[in-house]
Amino acid sequence: MKTAYNGKIARINLTTGEIRTEVLDFDLAKKYIGGRGLASKIIYDEGIATVDPLSADNKLVYVTGAMTGTNSPTAGRYMVVTKSPLNNMIASSNSGGKWGAKLKYAGWDALIVEGKSEKPVYINIEDEKIEILSAEPYVGMLSETVDDLLKEIHPKCSVLNIGPAGENQSLIAAIINDKHRAAGRSGVGAVMGSKNLKAISASSIKNVMEPFDTPKLKEVNAECLKKIRENGVTSAGLPTYGTAVLVNIINNTGSLPTNNWQGSYFEKADDISGETLKEKYLEKQYFCHRCPIGCGRVISINDKEVGGPEYEPLWAYGSNCGISDLSAINMANHLCNEYGLDAISTPCTIAAAMELYQKGYIKEEECDGIPLVWGSSDAVIEWTRRMGEGKLPLAKLMADGSYRLCEYYGHPEISMTVKKLEMPAYDARGIQGIGIGYATSNRGGCHVRAYTISPEILGLPVALDRTETEGKAKWTKIFQDLTAVIDSMGLCLFTSFALGAPDYASLLNAGTGTEHTPEELLMAGERIYNIERLFNKAAGMKSEDDRLPKRLTEEPITDGPSKGMVSKLSITLPEYYEARGWVDAFPTQETLERLELV
Ligand code: SF4
């Protein structure tokens, strides 16, 4: 049967060197779609929840989405799913660029990497050929250099790799592909490092995959493209200013955290905005595979074109560290890509360190000549470099994220994390819905599991009052389920500004031959969200892990348009559990039966 699935998974054991081809279970693919869903099911079934995440027993599943490699808009993404060494829960980080499409073209739906190599290696994939090769020449090298060198050997390939941070098993290490796209969160780079796996190169000259109904898919693609081109966010805001279009918008609502969330309004926000980035530094847009939007930024540093910062690092290095020097943010963000560090957790950890320094817990003598003071350009650049190198004692501590850093100094309340993962750039006191998403995200403090900013700030698909709690629990669940679908299809979340569940169902059905209604598709998303929760439960998650830092629920915002507000999670969380069919953070037997999870 023609279908956008290849029907093949490679299982690669780095301990024994054995490489096996397994057949994709199409029934399973239908139930879990592909991508994030399929990989979550695999690692749950294979008992990964109870292993030490940095041991040979952990597995890394690199998985393409059901639609990855088709001609659908943005259909080029891959996900890496594993057990997180940062918080012992499920890690599923996704990335665009070209690598995911190359893996799909090479004929594979997923790679399951297990075991641990004795020496540094990389995996090279050329269509059906998979080989494990020595990576000793690349040890300690920065990400872009490794990318360039592997392309000299395998000219048509796309590369993903870890920088020195992943080799050092920094718990906030990212996996970088195509030089500046990142599967950034949850310490997935550390898991690669623990396996002595430096890189994976993928190339194809064949691309045998053929969608189920090519004429129909062409028709649906055209309808979706039309909607993307007619939507203001996807046709103007994102292409023109990138995700940084949000800096001024969020600041104007008084929800842009500053100085490690001690404030929520930044006087100099415009200096670090998408508008200023475009005016002063933008060289050109970057487009991931088959993307009609092009939100990526390419800027120039020292006459070399590199990836520019997105909204999150602009905020995290910017207002959250008291910085308005855009050139310093550009450089620090570039260093995250080069060393392979999460560009949210890294600057947020620096911000936490700055608050520890402000309050006298970190002493000047620990800073080796670069004090961690608010607004210091030198500090954000050099401490990023130091965290990437992982040599200086304080930098090594910081490279494991803000939770461990603040706990070490006896003040875990200063770490602005959920489940030890640093929260992103929206203050949940000023925007009530996003706080439910942070608290209940299966991977921890994260905005891209339930992007309620869309209705609460941008009015899409409906306008919701950001200051109210009513209806937010229900919307959070819908966004979480829909996002699980989009991630599993291998599409970019930003398409959801313009598309809805009926569009995704039409795309998936034409591509793979499924016959999902929009409701059935959302139920598949719900199933995925629940299996991730079951993984966390088996890994030892407790109901009290669904929480926000006390600063958000007990300390009112001190300045700006949201002054006086706190997050009302105590009201919304019970409503959310009821909407999900969960009691005390976990699905009831009835819910498991309804979702066919027992
Ligand atoms: S919208 Fe941006 S992140 Fe999404 S696929 Fe396009 S370039 Fe990549």
Side-chain angles (χ1 to χ4, degrees):
M1 179 182 115
K2 289 191 286 184
T3 177
Y5 299 114
N6 281 313
K8 271 189 344 185
I9 293 174
R11 189 177 290 269
I12 303 164
N13 189 310
L14 294 178
T15 306
T16 62
E18 187 191 2
I19 299 168
R20 234 173 41 220
T21 300
E22 296 179 1
V23 176
L24 175 72
D25 178 341
F26 282 106
D27 288 338
L28 208 64
K30 188 178 172 197
K31 223 169 145 186
Y32 290 89
I33 304 174
R36 177 176 150 196
L38 181 65
S40 299
K41 172 70 174 161
I42 290 171
I43 65 162
Y44 180 69
D45 284 356
E46 297 194 7
I48 298 308
T50 53
V51 307
D52 172 353
L54 292 177
S55 72
D57 295 332
N58 199 3
K59 300 185 186 190
L60 281 157
V61 184
Y62 302 84
V63 63
T64 61
M67 299 300 288
T68 301
T70 66
N71 289 342
S72 298
T74 76
R77 302 187 79 85
Y78 89 96
M79 291 208 80
V80 56
V81 179
T82 186
K83 182 174 180 179
S84 165
L86 182 71
N87 59 14
N88 278 324
M89 296 190 199
I90 195 160
S92 53
S93 296
N94 99 38
S95 182
K98 318 286 177 196
W99 190 87
K102 288 275 172 114
L103 183 65
K104 192 74 168 277
Y105 289 156
W108 303 99
D109 293 312
L111 312 174
I112 303 172
V113 177
E114 47 193 34
K116 174 184 176 171
S117 169
E118 260 181 38
K119 293 187 172 166
V121 292
Y122 74 98
I123 296 169
N124 178 52
I125 300 167
E126 292 170 15
D127 292 312
E128 63 271 13
K129 182 176 91 179
I130 297 183
E131 51 192 351
I132 302 170
L133 301 170
S134 170
E136 283 181 285
Y138 314 114
V139 170
M141 283 186 181
L142 299 177
S143 175
E144 280 203 11
T145 311
V146 174
D147 196 295
D148 286 336
L149 290 173
L150 288 185
K151 279 204 184 85
E152 280 177 19
I153 302 171
H154 313 288
K156 289 195 160 62
C157 77
S158 178
V159 177
L160 70 70
N161 76 92
I162 52 169
E167 290 178 36
N168 295 339
Q169 298 179 33
S170 151
L171 300 185
I172 53 171
I175 298 173
I176 308 294
N177 64 287
D178 302 291
K179 296 194 173 177
H180 52 81
R181 313 314 287 175
R185 310 231 67 196
S186 308
V188 289
V191 182
M192 270 185 82
S194 74
K195 296 189 175 302
N196 266 326
L197 177 60
K198 178 72 174 167
I200 307 179
S201 49
S203 56
S204 165
I205 50 166
K206 284 188 182 161
N207 184 21
V208 290
M209 184 266 288
E210 223 184 314
F212 173 70
D213 185 341
T214 299
K216 179 69 184 168
L217 184 58
K218 209 171 156 189
E219 195 184 297
V220 183
N221 285 344
E223 285 164 17
C224 292
L225 257 181
K226 186 167 178 285
K227 290 182 183 177
I228 288 169
R229 290 194 173 125
E230 284 171 357
N231 177 282
V233 177
T234 48
S235 71
L238 286 171
T240 310
Y241 301 115
T243 50
V245 67
L246 285 166
V247 173
N248 281 324
I249 295 171
I250 299 298
N251 195 47
N252 289 339
T253 69
S255 307
L256 190 73
T258 65
N259 293 9
N260 198 38
W261 302 67
Q262 294 183 90
S264 300
Y265 183 77
F266 191 49
E267 290 287 348
K268 296 178 181 169
D270 195 48
D271 292 354
I272 59 166
S273 66
E275 291 85 339
T276 305
L277 184 72
K278 178 178 188 308
E279 187 191 320
K280 291 192 174 169
Y281 296 101
L282 187 70
E283 295 282 336
K284 60 186 180 194
Q285 287 171 264
Y286 175 84
F287 296 80
C288 299
H289 181 81
R290 293 280 174 209
C291 177
I293 303 168
C295 79
R297 308 287 90 178
V298 175
I299 60 168
S300 176
I301 293 182
N302 300 332
D303 294 328
K304 191 177 160 208
E305 285 192 347
V306 300
E310 301 196 6
Y311 170 61
E312 294 297 336
L314 276 166
W315 154 75
Y317 277 117
S319 64
N320 210 34
C321 290
I323 297 273
S324 57
D325 173 359
L326 192 46
S327 67
I329 298 172
N330 289 342
M331 175 55 94
N333 178 70
H334 175 56
L335 290 174
C336 283
N337 290 335
E338 283 284 54
Y339 282 94
L341 284 164
D342 177 357
I344 297 177
S345 288
T346 302
C348 287
T349 302
I350 294 174
M354 286 177 165
E355 186 174 341
L356 290 167
Y357 185 85
Q358 170 201 331
K359 294 183 170 167
Y361 305 130
I362 291 180
K363 307 290 181 211
E364 189 165 352
E365 52 271 26
E366 293 176 85
C367 295
D368 202 33
I370 306 176
L372 284 151
V373 289
W374 300 115
S376 164
S377 300
D378 280 354
V380 293
I381 292 171
E382 290 310 319
W383 281 98
T384 300
R385 196 190 310 274
R386 288 171 171 187
M387 288 165 76
E389 287 167 351
K391 290 187 181 132
L392 200 71
L394 178 55
K396 207 167 158 41
L397 191 55
M398 288 166 66
D400 284 341
S402 68
Y403 186 83
R404 285 169 176 83
L405 173 76
C406 295
E407 198 180 39
Y408 177 84
Y409 284 97
H411 290 279
E413 76 283 359
I414 288 176
S415 168
M416 297 307 287
T417 49
V418 175
K419 301 183 180 83
K420 299 185 183 152
L421 184 69
E422 286 72 17
M423 292 182 299
Y426 311 90
D427 196 318
R429 292 170 288 191
I431 308 171
Q432 291 293 321
I434 197 76
I436 316 169
Y438 291 165
T440 62
S441 161
N442 286 320
R443 70 175 183 176
C446 164
H447 57 306
V448 289
R449 288 296 179 269
Y451 195 65
T452 58
I453 298 305
S454 191
E456 295 189 282
I457 301 294
L458 303 173
L460 295 169
V462 293
L464 300 178
D465 183 339
R466 69 181 172 85
T467 66
E468 295 293 333
T469 57
E470 199 185 338
K472 299 292 174 68
K474 184 193 83 179
W475 276 101
T476 300
K477 176 186 178 297
I478 292 170
F479 271 78
Q480 285 174 338
D481 295 347
L482 184 65
T483 302
V485 168
I486 297 168
D487 287 347
S488 301
M489 288 175 66
L491 304 178
C492 177
L493 181 60
F494 296 155
T495 55
S496 66
F497 290 120
L499 308 180
D503 301 302
Y504 295 115
S506 301
L507 286 167
L508 187 67
N509 292 342
T512 65
T514 52
E515 292 172 350
H516 287 303
T517 63
E519 294 72 28
E520 285 166 347
L521 198 58
L522 279 173
M523 187 181 258
E526 187 178 4
R527 183 177 297 120
I528 293 162
Y529 211 80
N530 275 269
I531 200 157
E532 290 176 340
R533 183 62 46 144
L534 291 181
F535 181 100
N536 282 357
K537 188 179 184 189
M541 182 193 152
K542 303 277 180 285
S543 56
E544 56 267 28
D545 291 324
D546 277 353
R547 55 119 198 117
L548 291 173
K550 276 190 184 158
R551 182 165 286 171
L552 299 192
T553 52
E554 294 178 12
E555 296 176 21
I557 290 179
T558 55
D559 56 355
S562 294
K563 188 174 175 182
M565 292 182 67
V566 291
S567 166
K568 297 176 187 156
L569 189 68
S570 59
I571 297 172
T572 51
L573 194 60
E575 293 171 357
Y576 170 84
Y577 287 155
E578 193 180 340
R580 274 243 170 264
W582 292 0
V583 170
D584 285 340
F586 298 105
T588 60
Q589 184 66 19
E590 195 184 338
T591 300
L592 294 176
E593 282 169 14
R594 180 172 58 81
L595 296 172
E596 299 171 52
L597 281 166
V598 279

